Amino acid sequence: MDAGVPARRRREMAAAVSGAGRCRLSKVGAGRRPPPARVRVAVRLRPFVDGTAGENDTPCVRGLDSCSLEIANWRNHQETLKYQFDAFYGERSSQQDIYAGSVQPILRHLLEGQNASVLAYGPTGAGKTHTMLGSPEQPGVIPRALMDLLQLTREEGAEGRPWALSVTMSYLEIYQEKVLDLLEPSSGDLVIREDCRGNILIPGLTQKPITSFADFERHFLPASRNRTVGATRLNQRSSRSHAVLLVKVDQRERLAPFRQREGKLYLIDLAGSEDNRRTGNKGLRLKESGAINTSLFVLGKVVDALNQGLPRVPYRDSKLTRLLQDSLGGSAHSILIANIAPERRFYLDTVSALNFAARSKEVINRPFTNESLQLPVLAPVKLSQKELLGPSEAKRARGPEEEETRSPELPVAPASASQKLSPLQKLSSMDPAMLERLLSLDRLLGSQGSQGTPLLSTPKRERMVLMKTVEEKDLEIERLKMKQKELEAKVLAQEAADPKEKENYSPTMLRPLARRTVTVAKPLKKAVVMPLQLIQEQAASPNAEIHILKKKSRKRKLESLDASQPEEKAEDGWELQISPELLAHGRQKILDLLNEGSARDLRSLQRIGQKKAQLIVGWRELHGPFSQVEDLERVEGISGKQMESFLKANILGLAAGQGCGPS
């Protein structure tokens, strides 16, 4: 069936079908399919660089006309390879020619609420940054596009026009798979997200409002100096990252139905692919080159997947392709400017760039208008204290004087569930608080002019809904009143049965819950018992003060349900106290063991394992003997916070005969 269809035509059909499945339409215009828009490709051939071309060096690329070129075939020098693109700019083309011929026509789509993107692609040293930025004498695509875009927004957003426009800018770079904000370098690595409509966004990215080209330069020039560049053999200021300038145009309709539109312009200066054998990259430059080549390789995989109509497109394999998801196979009008060099030493890079450009022009995008409706925001209603209260609360809040002077035309009884709320009903039959709210809301809506609808003359359907709501509220109030009466009757019956506890009851209150005391579990206590012989020997010596464990009484609070009256209970505990003689004797034994003991002897100490024992022996051989036990804090793996517990545990252990001396 497909035998008579050319292979190129089949690829276009497959790309169109795959692009249709990937794009997500906004609610506006969802009834019809957006027309496809192929990625437009322009090729720019830079002139020879002074000092790089030899006397007999001839260019390997030659332009045929404004859309086609040819390059020598390295397999057969008698033949040439021909390429055809949307535009070809030769060595003598100017910055204005490239901008006016390829970039300027897509700016009008931003005012229609659509996205657009311009990508500069090519090997390192081919002139991508010069094409995008240019110089003060020859401005590039970015300054020219911003100047024209700001002029368009000023004209379209002038007084008397239906739309109000605002422009914001963001500037970022992708350096070694990290998204960095060039306007705020301290932000760190940012994440890339996707909203419910498939739009790519970066939370936390700085946005600067701009109204003139001077505002743009004030933010852009300092941010450009934050971009990562480095020197290689081929370029003294080689871009080591992909730079993305995002310009967002927001439009708001001044009159009904108050539509909103948002158009985004991506101006992308890609880093060039590098051959490390010719650039001489080493160290950090080699790592940067690997990240750049990896992201460009994933970019080629994305283009191939789109052309072949594969079910999965590897956008997420790289931060660059994730950010370009709208530009390639998405919802943007995309322009790819492929920069190539004429020298024969760049022949392989030039062929690779031309092949990528030829595959990219087969990618199909489906731009659509990103439009939404925004209802007018109503002014907040300021209600008085009485209006904030319900009918019953408002009645209780009235004083006796106000009850007497109240108008007889406004009875207190609320409208029953059987009454109908209609424009012919007398307003005096409604509750005063509800009446005041309805009148306030009616005046508010009436102040909106023809856009508002008086509340008391609503259509039948809305009136029926309001009536049903009022009936449900009245039934709920009646049910709560009946339940309250039943509870009061139950309490009165209990009082009549037991008159002694009458003072403990109230007609409107239930008996409070009994207080319940909750106790906390006692923690486990540990005590070290000294050997009887050692205690007797120390007791026989004069002026011996032996207090190993001392009983101490302390109070502990009990938690109860009534937090205002905490209960206290006396509790016995144990407190560890060591005599100074025993402490000094134990410290000396530990110090002798640290200075003279082997690794096996050191493991007899508590909290000293095989690893720490080897560390202590190695430290002693390197720095000499320990002068005091506290020198252990300088040995790796022994913290100073554990020194006190370490000393107490080992002193008691040595006193009890558990420790051993040096062997």
Side-chain angles (χ1 to χ4, degrees):
M1 177 179 178
D2 296 338
V5 181
R8 178 179 175 183
R9 179 59 178 169
R10 289 200 302 270
R11 288 197 301 269
E12 290 182 357
M13 294 170 60
V17 172
S18 63
R22 283 185 304 274
C23 70
R24 297 174 173 84
L25 304 181
S26 62
K27 293 183 178 180
V28 179
R32 57 186 181 90
R33 246 175 122 192
R38 183 175 54 82
V39 175
R40 299 180 60 84
V41 178
V43 176
R44 183 182 191 184
L45 177 64
R46 69 159 172 80
F48 276 93
V49 178
D50 296 338
T52 60
E55 297 179 357
N56 299 325
D57 193 4
T58 58
C60 60
V61 181
R62 183 171 65 92
L64 300 178
D65 52 33
S66 60
C67 296
S68 59
L69 58 95
E70 64 178 2
I71 184 172
N73 188 356
W74 65 277
R75 293 178 179 176
N76 187 355
H77 297 285
Q78 304 298 328
E79 297 179 356
T80 58
L81 302 176
K82 295 183 180 180
Y83 293 88
Q84 186 171 5
F85 301 100
D86 296 289
F88 172 73
Y89 302 98
E91 300 177 357
R92 298 184 179 181
S93 60
S94 63
Q95 301 277 58
Q96 176 63 24
D97 296 338
I98 298 172
Y99 171 73
S102 298
V103 180
Q104 192 176 27
I106 69 172
L107 296 181
R108 57 181 177 84
H109 297 295
L110 297 174
L111 303 182
E112 299 172 0
Q114 299 181 3
N115 299 335
S117 61
V118 181
L119 298 90
Y121 181 87
T124 181
K128 299 181 299 299
T129 304
H130 177 72
T131 300
M132 297 302 292
L133 295 180
S135 61
E137 298 78 16
Q138 299 179 357
V141 169
I142 290 179
R144 293 175 186 271
L146 264 296
M147 192 175 299
D148 286 353
L149 183 60
L150 292 172
Q151 180 64 26
L152 287 175
T153 55
R154 280 194 297 267
E155 295 175 357
E156 294 295 329
E159 292 294 335
R161 294 297 183 93
W163 295 89
L165 287 82
S166 62
V167 182
T168 59
M169 63 165 287
S170 302
Y171 197 25
L172 62 96
E173 71 171 354
I174 302 178
Y175 175 71
Q176 296 188 14
E177 288 301 303
K178 294 181 180 180
V179 181
L180 306 178
D181 190 352
L182 294 178
L183 293 175
E184 192 65 36
S186 60
S187 300
D189 188 13
L190 303 178
V191 295
I192 302 177
R193 298 287 187 235
E194 182 176 357
D195 63 7
C196 58
R197 292 187 295 179
N199 297 321
I200 301 300
L201 50 91
I202 303 177
L205 184 63
T206 305
Q207 296 185 7
K208 297 290 186 180
I210 53 176
T211 57
S212 62
F213 190 75
D215 293 342
F216 167 73
E217 286 185 326
R218 185 172 66 253
H219 299 305
F220 182 78
L221 294 180
S224 298
R225 291 191 286 269
N226 295 329
R227 186 181 177 185
T228 306
V229 296
T232 63
R233 290 181 182 177
L234 301 180
N235 192 353
Q236 292 299 321
R237 287 187 55 84
S238 176
S239 301
R240 314 310 297 167
S241 63
H242 309 292
V244 180
L245 175 64
L246 173 59
V247 182
K248 188 182 298 184
V249 180
D250 292 322
Q251 304 179 65
R252 299 179 183 272
E253 198 171 15
R254 290 190 171 101
L255 301 177
F258 302 102
R259 293 173 295 174
Q260 291 185 355
R261 290 178 179 175
E262 181 184 80
K264 293 184 290 185
L265 174 63
Y266 293 91
L267 299 171
I268 305 167
D269 180 13
L270 298 175
S273 58
E274 295 182 340
D275 186 355
N276 294 317
R277 293 171 298 183
R278 292 191 291 112
T279 57
N281 291 331
K282 296 180 181 179
L284 180 60
R285 294 290 174 263
L286 185 62
K287 185 178 180 181
E288 295 170 348
S289 176
I292 293 171
N293 292 338
T294 301
S295 61
L296 294 178
F297 174 72
V298 176
L299 180 61
K301 289 173 55 179
V302 168
V303 172
D304 292 339
L306 292 173
N307 290 336
Q308 298 174 15
L310 299 181
R312 179 187 178 275
V313 182
Y315 288 116
R316 296 177 180 267
D317 292 357
S318 172
K319 295 289 184 66
L320 174 63
T321 53
R322 181 65 167 155
L323 191 61
L324 296 180
Q325 188 168 341
D326 285 342
S327 304
L328 296 175
S331 60
H333 297 270
S334 299
I335 301 293
L336 176 67
I337 303 177
N339 296 261
I340 58 177
E343 292 86 0
R344 288 188 175 273
R345 58 196 181 100
F346 289 103
Y347 177 80
L348 294 179
D349 294 333
T350 301
V351 172
S352 177
L354 291 177
N355 290 335
F356 175 80
R359 300 196 309 271
S360 299
K361 73 175 184 178
E362 306 295 335
V363 176
I364 302 297
N365 293 351
R366 290 192 175 273
F368 60 86
T369 300
N370 190 6
E371 184 176 295
S372 61
L373 294 177
Q374 179 68 32
L375 297 177
V377 181
L378 299 178
V381 182
K382 295 183 179 180
L383 300 178
S384 61
Q385 183 67 24
K386 296 180 181 179
E387 292 173 341
L388 294 175
L389 298 176
S392 57
E393 290 84 353
K395 179 180 177 181
R396 289 195 297 268
R398 295 192 190 97
E401 299 179 358
E402 187 177 354
E403 285 289 335
E404 295 178 359
T405 58
R406 184 170 46 86
S407 174
E409 297 179 357
L410 300 176
V412 181
S416 63
S418 61
Q419 291 178 340
K420 305 295 182 180
L421 182 62
S422 65
L424 300 179
Q425 180 186 3
K426 292 184 179 180
L427 300 179
S428 59
S429 61
M430 298 180 61
D431 184 78
M434 183 181 295
L435 176 61
E436 292 178 2
R437 293 183 184 180
L438 290 176
L439 292 177
S440 300
L441 185 57
D442 185 57
R443 288 193 298 269
L444 176 64
L445 295 177
S447 64
Q448 301 294 330
S450 59
Q451 303 169 11
T453 303
L455 182 65
L456 299 182
S457 60
T458 54
K460 182 177 179 180
R461 180 178 299 177
E462 287 78 1
R463 189 166 66 251
M464 295 299 294
V465 174
L466 182 59
M467 289 167 51
K468 185 177 180 180
T469 304
V470 173
E471 291 178 0
E472 292 177 354
K473 296 297 182 182
D474 290 340
L475 291 175
E476 182 69 17
I477 292 174
E478 292 297 332
R479 188 182 65 81
L480 294 176
K481 287 182 178 180
M482 293 297 297
K483 188 174 181 180
Q484 179 69 17
K485 290 181 180 180
E486 292 177 359
L487 294 175
E488 292 178 359
K490 186 176 180 180
V491 172
L492 292 176
Q494 292 179 357
E495 290 181 358
D498 192 0
K500 294 181 179 181
E501 298 182 1
K502 183 176 180 180
E503 63 276 4
N504 296 331
Y505 292 94
S506 176
T508 59
M509 295 179 57
L510 297 177
R511 177 190 292 271
L513 297 176
R515 182 184 304 172
R516 182 168 57 91
T517 303
V518 180
T519 59
V520 182
K522 298 180 179 180
L524 298 177
K525 297 180 173 59
K526 297 181 180 179
V528 179
V529 181
M530 297 289 294
L532 181 61
Q533 295 83 356
L534 181 61
I535 296 177
Q536 291 176 352
E537 292 176 1
Q538 293 179 356
S541 62
N543 301 328
E545 182 183 357
I546 303 176
H547 292 291
I548 300 301
L549 295 177
K550 180 180 180 182
K551 192 172 184 180
K552 180 181 179 182
S553 177
R554 63 175 182 273
K555 294 183 179 180
R556 181 168 61 92
K557 293 185 178 180
L558 299 179
E559 297 182 1
S560 62
L561 294 178
D562 191 359
S564 61
Q565 298 178 359
E567 299 182 2
E568 296 183 354
K569 181 180 178 181
E571 182 181 284
D572 293 335
W574 295 91
E575 183 180 6
L576 179 63
Q577 293 185 357
I578 304 176
S579 62
E581 295 80 0
L582 181 60
L583 182 62
H585 179 70
R587 290 173 65 92
Q588 185 61 38
K589 291 187 68 175
I590 294 174
L591 185 60
D592 295 341
L593 190 61
L594 292 176
N595 290 328
E596 301 176 5
S598 62
R600 181 178 179 181
D601 298 334
L602 291 173
R603 288 202 305 272
S604 64
L605 293 174
Q606 296 190 31
R607 304 189 184 185
I608 298 296
Q610 178 67 22
K611 182 178 179 180
K612 291 184 179 180
Q614 294 177 355
L615 288 175
I616 293 174
V617 173
W619 191 91
R620 186 177 63 198
E621 294 177 355
L622 183 63
H623 300 281
F626 292 87
S627 59
Q628 56 183 353
V629 181
E630 282 73 9
D631 291 342
L632 280 176
E633 297 181 4
R634 291 184 288 176
V635 180
E636 183 180 359
I638 299 180
S639 173
K641 295 182 179 180
Q642 301 175 355
M643 180 57 62
E644 182 179 355
S645 60
F646 169 79
L647 289 174
K648 289 182 179 179
N650 285 282
I651 287 173
L652 292 177
L654 292 172
Q658 298 174 2
C660 61
S663 58

